Amino acid sequence: IDPLQSESRLKNLIAMQPESAPLNFSLGNQFAAQSRWEDAQQAYFKAYAAEPENPDFAFNLAISLDQLRQRKLALEYYQRALNLGEGRPSNFDRAQVTARMQELQR
């Protein structure tokens, strides 16, 4: 799928449903795949704000913050992702998150 076409389609859908966590998350993934980390961070934040109990939204927000070298905030959202992931399924490796957190704390 053409990334620009996919991005355009997602933005059109978000215009109709701006609070849709899955749509904002998908747009964040689209931006992340293009290494557009500032755009990804904004989209992930919207997804997280709409569904703050979702560990994957917190995790992807942490990754985008990490990529933007916002270590303190990244660390905070990695921890939130771990905490949220204790009570529900998540799509990230907890050991890898813990290892990355240890690196950030150095």
Side-chain angles (χ1 to χ4, degrees):
I1 297 176
D2 175 32
L4 292 176
Q5 183 180 11
S6 179
E7 178 183 334
S8 178
R9 184 168 175 246
L10 282 168
K11 285 181 175 180
N12 287 336
L13 291 169
I14 289 169
M16 292 184 284
Q17 301 175 52
E19 301 300 316
S20 171
L23 289 175
N24 281 294
F25 184 72
S26 294
L27 183 60
N29 288 341
Q30 185 72 37
F31 290 142
Q34 300 172 48
S35 296
R36 292 171 54 189
W37 293 109
E38 287 183 20
D39 294 327
Q41 183 272 327
Q42 291 174 10
Y44 288 142
F45 183 79
K46 288 178 184 176
Y48 175 78
E51 230 178 273
E53 299 301 312
N54 187 311
D56 293 317
F57 294 173
F59 174 70
N60 281 47
L61 178 54
I63 289 173
S64 65
L65 292 164
D66 200 350
Q67 289 293 318
L68 293 169
R69 294 176 173 49
Q70 295 182 27
R71 297 170 72 103
K72 185 176 178 180
L73 277 174
L75 191 59
E76 181 181 324
Y77 281 95
Y78 281 131
Q79 186 62 57
R80 287 183 190 187
L82 285 176
N83 292 345
L84 292 168
E86 289 178 9
R88 58 191 299 189
S90 57
N91 292 309
F92 55 84
D93 183 319
R94 296 179 65 80
Q96 286 181 337
V97 173
T98 301
R100 181 61 186 149
M101 289 174 65
Q102 290 171 347
E103 289 175 18
L104 289 173
Q105 290 173 332
R106 289 184 193 147

